[in-house]
Amino acid sequence: MKGNIVVGQSGGPTAVINSSVAGVFAAAKKLGVNKIYGMVHGIEGFLDEQMIDLGEYLNDETGIEMLKRTPSAFLGSCRFKMPKIEGHEDVYEKIFQIMEKHDIECLFYAGGNDSMDTVKMLSDYAAAHNKPQRFMGVPKTIDNDLPITDHCPGYGSAAKYIATSIKEIIRDNESFGAKKPTVCIVEIMGRHAGWLTAAAALAKGDDCTGCDAIYLPEKDFDIDAFMAKVKELAATRSSVVIAVSEGVHLADGRFVCELAAGDKAVDAFGHKQLSGTAAYLANLVAAETGLKTRAIEFSTLQRAATHLASLTDINEAFQVGYDAVLAAEEGKTGMMITLDRNGDAPYQCGTSAYDIHAIANVERPVPAEWITEDGCGLNEGYEKYARPLIMGELTPLFVNGLPRHLVRK
Amino acid sequence: MKGNIVVGQSGGPTAVINSSVAGVFAAAKKLGVNKIYGMVHGIEGFLDEQMIDLGEYLNDETGIEMLKRTPSAFLGSCRFKMPKIEGHEDVYEKIFQIMEKHDIECLFYAGGNDSMDTVKMLSDYAAAHNKPQRFMGVPKTIDNDLPITDHCPGYGSAAKYIATSIKEIIRDNESFGAKKPTVCIVEIMGRHAGWLTAAAALAKGDDCTGCDAIYLPEKDFDIDAFMAKVKELAATRSSVVIAVSEGVHLADGRFVCELAAGDKAVDAFGHKQLSGTAAYLANLVAAETGLKTRAIEFSTLQRAATHLASLTDINEAFQVGYDAVLAAEEGKTGMMITLDRNGDAPYQCGTSAYDIHAIANVERPVPAEWITEDGCGLNEGYEKYARPLIMGELTPLFVNGLPRHLVRK
């Protein structure tokens, strides 16, 4: 590659999105690229020419190792959606002007569905206007809902965090083992796809009975059936732990969390409660059964817990960044790097570059055949798919008792 | 020791309460004690003669190492409070009968304030009735609110989890760095003492700006002052992260979370919301400022995250269990083992045995001189006290991608 490159991060952060930046940097450095820029706060910051020279942070191997151990977006992220081209040519032209000014030949963008749309729009514009610049997508999302790719970097680490925390919660909930169980309801991210919630199923093993029920948004949620299930579980167990997706919804499409914000559920100031699905269901169970309940939300912890990241995930996040640069070097543009599973025993995964038009704005749900017939569990199909993704660890560098992160100056 | 012993766990679990059981076992084994029993679900289960033989689990070093890596109460816990002696002699007699039946010479009880009351009551009863059995308390509580002892096993690990998670939350919250900050409010356990919430202060370091404000229950909470502080922070920062204790309360004594459950805050079923302090304050900030807010509760994760336990804490939890046995061997009874700090540079900590009457039912708050003048931060006095307690790690044994625990058959 003769010119410079720039890499950006976009959308909700993950535990390993920085490993993809490390991968882009490592490949570009190997190819002898002169300047490797990082856009600060994604394409939104790039439009203001906010960039850093990644060489200032990563030119020795320690920098790259620290970046792999840093959660969230080292470069800063954004939720900027490219406007449609017609009537907004100035926005597109500005991006190409900035690229030309800094002799940037190729732009790499790590993100999920919306971010892949940015790659698509920019590469389409380049094609339509005979611009030489190239644009490559680097997959990233804890939601794991990008199509074509076997899975998305970021998912394995979120799944490892979720399964580990669920095990710890079950252990805690079991400890009182009273005559009457405590019903603990754990809310997990994923509004439209249940991949993250499914990861609660991985807690089960020789040392853990696992979740007692798992509800994904792929199936309609029936409150009566849920309540019957809870009562059945509570009658026979000394601990009940249930995982629900924040996106569970009734057959009529209403989210359960919308019920929580019903007319009567206003706070002292008259505005709707923002309380979530788990809190709503826990209140419901407490009211109907008199049992002690507890609602837990993993919130942003599940996408930021790099201290418990999956080494497989870190390596694959690095790889998709690395291979995006190699693909661009071959002249490719308007594509995203996909992870292609080649085998399960042992697990093997390669990469390829795929047309971004088939990926942008498409969401992939959990396959129906992996959900148990009763609608509240995952079967061995999911286990086989997901277990390899959480394998391995990368020990944090602990300084003064806490994991150390790499930060921008 | 000629007879057998029994050890029990009581109250809210911690990440390291099992290390205390390991310590009791190791010392008793060294002294050649024949049977080392564990009571299942504390004194409540003991009254039903629910016991296991710890030797079946711990007779090799692998068992002890696995126990140290297991969160929550391996033996099961309880929240059973001993009745007053007068009129309930039968309960006391039953305990001594079970001890006699199994030739149990000494009972060790790991727990917090209420559990130390159990030790006090039983040793008082033994003294009053010339019973030979001995009773020793082993300190344990994430709340860190036992008096006399410098700190409590369980606190260091909870503090390490809290500070690590706060760092990860700050990194996540900063990533969007938008023109308008997201205000993230994190609720931390501790209804009467702010020790756990104070641990949020440990997040600050060369790589982290730390929490923007920390509110402990040791100071009255003023909602107007809080709102002014949030507005001031939001005007100048691209991210605002605030830690609040679940126990913050107004000057008139009402908990902030009680305000959340005010008359109007009922759900669709007409019963009071169980929503917490952080959710209430986040809604308030959103309503008054229009800023995006997020409420996070660590819930039981902060007391169960053995995967991130402090090695210092694990070792000290082991030590207090071990030394309780040595003290009992010397004939001591009606005492709790305390941790006595001997130095800060380097940190050194010994133990001694202290009269349980000075400990049971006494709560120790965070010293006022460690809280900053503005009431929303901790100073270097706390840093000096707490930093040594979170030092060191004990790598979990990962099996199939998750930390493996030791469980009762």
Side-chain angles (χ1 to χ4, degrees):
Chain A
M1 228 176 289
K2 289 176 211 148
N4 300 320
I5 68 161
V6 67
V7 56
Q9 298 174 302
S10 169
T14 78
V16 303
I17 187 172
N18 293 327
S19 290
S20 290
V21 172
V24 166
F25 181 86
K29 196 177 171 192
K30 190 163 185 191
L31 292 177
V33 171
N34 181 23
K35 285 283 187 187
I36 304 164
Y37 293 111
M39 50 178 87
V40 177
H41 296 305
I43 208 77
E44 192 174 14
F46 190 66
L47 278 163
D48 292 333
E49 279 191 74
Q50 287 187 43
M51 289 192 288
I52 60 169
D53 178 350
L54 275 169
E56 288 180 21
Y57 294 91
L58 305 181
N59 254 336
D60 69 45
E61 288 175 339
T62 311
I64 286 185
E65 286 306 312
M66 288 306 299
L67 187 57
K68 285 181 182 174
R69 287 160 171 84
T70 298
S72 189
F74 168 74
L75 294 169
S77 189
C78 70
R79 291 205 185 276
F80 184 85
K81 201 165 162 61
M82 288 299 290
K84 61 177 182 181
I85 295 171
E86 204 186 329
H88 300 93
E89 288 82 358
D90 56 326
V91 178
Y92 288 82
E93 282 301 323
K94 189 167 182 193
I95 289 171
F96 285 90
Q97 279 162 18
I98 295 168
M99 291 181 78
E100 274 166 33
K101 178 177 167 187
H102 295 281
D103 191 22
I104 293 170
E105 186 179 336
C106 193
L107 184 155
F108 300 89
Y109 212 42
N113 305 79
D114 287 343
S115 314
M116 292 309 119
D117 186 66
T118 297
V119 173
K120 175 174 81 68
M121 298 293 270
L122 287 168
S123 56
D124 283 355
Y125 190 89
H129 296 78
N130 284 316
K131 305 270 191 188
Q133 288 86 356
R134 302 193 294 288
F135 300 87
M136 288 295 295
V138 179
K140 170 274 346 176
T141 168
I142 60 167
D143 292 329
N144 203 42
D145 59 353
L146 288 171
I148 314 291
T149 187
D150 179 77
H151 56 280
C152 304
Y155 177 63
S157 295
K160 190 181 184 91
Y161 176 86
I162 288 165
T164 297
S165 299
I166 289 277
K167 273 188 83 168
E168 292 175 339
I169 286 168
I170 290 173
R171 197 69 63 237
D172 183 273
N173 204 58
E174 280 178 351
S175 67
F176 288 102
K179 285 88 195 174
K180 283 186 176 181
T182 296
V183 177
C184 181
I185 300 179
V186 185
E187 178 174 335
I188 301 176
M189 280 183 171
R191 210 138 252 238
H192 305 294
W195 291 104
L196 288 167
T197 307
L202 300 173
K204 193 173 178 177
D206 289 347
D207 62 340
C208 184
T209 53
C211 272
D212 299 294
I214 299 172
Y215 294 95
L216 311 187
E218 277 78 0
K219 294 257 181 188
D220 292 338
F221 189 80
D222 181 325
I223 289 189
D224 292 335
F226 164 78
M227 198 58 71
K229 179 81 182 175
V230 171
K231 286 176 185 168
E232 175 202 324
L233 290 166
T236 55
R237 309 198 182 190
S238 60
S239 159
V240 177
V241 176
I242 294 171
V244 295
S245 166
E246 62 177 354
V248 290
H249 53 79
L250 308 186
D252 66 12
R254 279 178 303 160
F255 287 119
V256 170
C257 62
E258 285 182 289
L259 305 179
D263 282 356
K264 290 185 187 161
V266 292
D267 64 19
F269 300 84
H271 53 264
K272 286 188 178 180
Q273 287 281 345
L274 298 176
S275 68
T277 306
Y280 175 77
L281 294 173
N283 282 352
L284 206 58
V285 169
E288 279 219 16
T289 66
L291 293 169
K292 190 178 171 195
T293 62
R294 191 184 282 280
I296 299 179
E297 280 185 51
F298 288 149
S299 192
T300 54
L301 295 167
Q302 65 202 289
R303 71 183 187 198
T306 302
H307 78 269
L308 194 61
S310 152
L311 181 59
T312 301
D313 195 24
I314 287 174
N315 287 340
E316 291 179 346
F318 185 92
Q319 193 72 43
V320 293
Y322 197 98
D323 291 354
V325 174
L326 299 189
E329 166 76 0
E330 291 172 7
K332 293 195 171 98
T333 184
M335 305 189 104
M336 186 190 84
I337 301 299
T338 59
L339 287 165
D340 311 324
R341 189 182 298 226
N342 299 320
D344 279 312
Y347 170 75
Q348 289 186 320
C349 203
T351 70
S352 50
Y354 206 93
D355 182 359
I356 198 82
H357 293 82
I359 294 168
N361 307 311
V362 179
E363 283 182 341
R364 182 185 57 153
V366 176
E369 65 266 27
W370 290 352
I371 301 173
T372 54
E373 216 162 306
D374 65 359
C376 49
L378 280 295
N379 65 25
E380 63 288 352
Y382 174 73
E383 163 75 25
K384 192 174 162 191
Y385 168 81
R387 183 69 62 184
L389 313 183
I390 68 168
M391 296 297 288
E393 297 77 38
L394 188 66
T395 313
L397 173 67
F398 283 94
V399 177
N400 292 328
L402 301 178
R404 177 57 55 122
H405 305 151
L406 186 70
V407 288
R408 297 197 314 277
K409 290 160 209 157
Chain B
M1 227 176 291
K2 290 174 210 148
N4 300 321
I5 69 161
V6 67
V7 55
Q9 299 173 301
S10 170
T14 78
V16 303
I17 187 171
N18 293 327
S19 290
S20 290
V21 172
V24 166
F25 181 87
K29 198 178 170 192
K30 191 163 185 191
L31 292 178
V33 171
N34 182 23
K35 285 281 189 189
I36 304 163
Y37 292 111
M39 49 177 88
V40 177
H41 296 303
I43 207 78
E44 192 173 14
F46 190 66
L47 277 162
D48 292 333
E49 279 192 75
Q50 287 187 43
M51 288 191 288
I52 59 170
D53 178 351
L54 275 170
E56 288 180 21
Y57 294 91
L58 305 181
N59 254 336
D60 69 44
E61 288 175 339
T62 311
I64 287 186
E65 286 305 313
M66 288 305 300
L67 188 56
K68 286 182 182 174
R69 287 162 172 83
T70 298
S72 189
F74 168 74
L75 294 169
S77 188
C78 71
R79 292 205 185 275
F80 184 84
K81 201 165 162 60
M82 289 300 290
K84 59 176 182 181
I85 294 172
E86 205 185 328
H88 300 92
E89 288 83 358
D90 56 328
V91 178
Y92 288 82
E93 281 301 324
K94 188 164 184 196
I95 289 172
F96 284 91
Q97 280 162 18
I98 295 169
M99 290 180 79
E100 274 166 33
K101 177 176 168 189
H102 295 281
D103 191 22
I104 293 168
E105 186 179 334
C106 194
L107 184 154
F108 301 89
Y109 212 41
N113 305 79
D114 287 343
S115 315
M116 292 309 118
D117 185 66
T118 296
V119 174
K120 175 175 80 70
M121 299 293 271
L122 287 168
S123 56
D124 283 355
Y125 189 89
H129 296 78
N130 283 317
K131 307 270 191 188
Q133 288 84 358
R134 301 193 294 289
F135 300 87
M136 289 294 296
V138 179
K140 169 274 349 170
T141 169
I142 60 166
D143 293 329
N144 202 42
D145 58 353
L146 288 171
I148 313 293
T149 186
D150 178 76
H151 56 280
C152 303
Y155 178 63
S157 295
K160 189 181 184 91
Y161 177 85
I162 289 165
T164 297
S165 298
I166 289 278
K167 274 188 81 167
E168 292 175 341
I169 287 169
I170 291 173
R171 195 70 62 236
D172 184 273
N173 204 59
E174 280 177 351
S175 66
F176 288 103
K179 284 87 195 175
K180 282 184 177 183
T182 295
V183 177
C184 181
I185 300 179
V186 185
E187 178 173 335
I188 301 175
M189 279 183 170
R191 210 139 254 238
H192 304 296
W195 292 104
L196 288 167
T197 308
L202 299 173
K204 192 173 178 178
D206 288 347
D207 61 340
C208 184
T209 52
C211 272
D212 299 295
I214 300 171
Y215 294 95
L216 310 187
E218 277 78 359
K219 294 258 181 186
D220 292 339
F221 189 80
D222 182 324
I223 290 190
D224 292 336
F226 164 79
M227 197 58 70
K229 179 81 182 176
V230 170
K231 286 176 186 169
E232 175 203 324
L233 289 166
T236 54
R237 308 196 184 193
S238 60
S239 160
V240 177
V241 176
I242 293 171
V244 295
S245 166
E246 62 177 354
V248 291
H249 53 79
L250 308 187
D252 65 13
R254 281 179 299 161
F255 288 120
V256 171
C257 61
E258 285 182 289
L259 304 180
D263 282 355
K264 291 186 187 160
V266 292
D267 64 20
F269 300 85
H271 55 266
K272 284 187 180 181
Q273 289 281 348
L274 298 175
S275 67
T277 307
Y280 175 78
L281 293 173
N283 282 352
L284 207 58
V285 169
E288 277 219 19
T289 67
L291 293 170
K292 191 178 171 193
T293 62
R294 188 184 285 279
I296 299 179
E297 280 184 51
F298 288 148
S299 192
T300 54
L301 296 167
Q302 65 203 288
R303 70 185 187 199
T306 302
H307 78 269
L308 194 61
S310 152
L311 181 59
T312 300
D313 194 23
I314 287 174
N315 287 340
E316 292 180 344
F318 185 92
Q319 193 71 42
V320 291
Y322 197 98
D323 291 354
V325 174
L326 298 190
E329 166 76 359
E330 291 172 10
K332 293 197 170 93
T333 183
M335 307 189 102
M336 185 190 85
I337 302 298
T338 58
L339 288 165
D340 311 324
R341 188 182 300 227
N342 299 320
D344 278 314
Y347 169 76
Q348 287 186 322
C349 202
T351 71
S352 51
Y354 207 93
D355 182 0
I356 199 84
H357 293 84
I359 294 169
N361 308 311
V362 179
E363 283 182 341
R364 182 186 55 152
V366 176
E369 64 267 28
W370 291 351
I371 302 172
T372 53
E373 215 161 305
D374 64 0
C376 50
L378 280 297
N379 65 25
E380 63 287 353
Y382 174 73
E383 163 75 25
K384 191 175 163 192
Y385 168 81
R387 182 70 62 183
L389 312 182
I390 67 167
M391 295 298 287
E393 297 78 39
L394 188 66
T395 312
L397 174 67
F398 282 93
V399 177
N400 292 329
L402 301 178
R404 177 57 55 123
H405 304 152
L406 186 71
V407 289
R408 297 196 314 277
K409 289 161 209 159

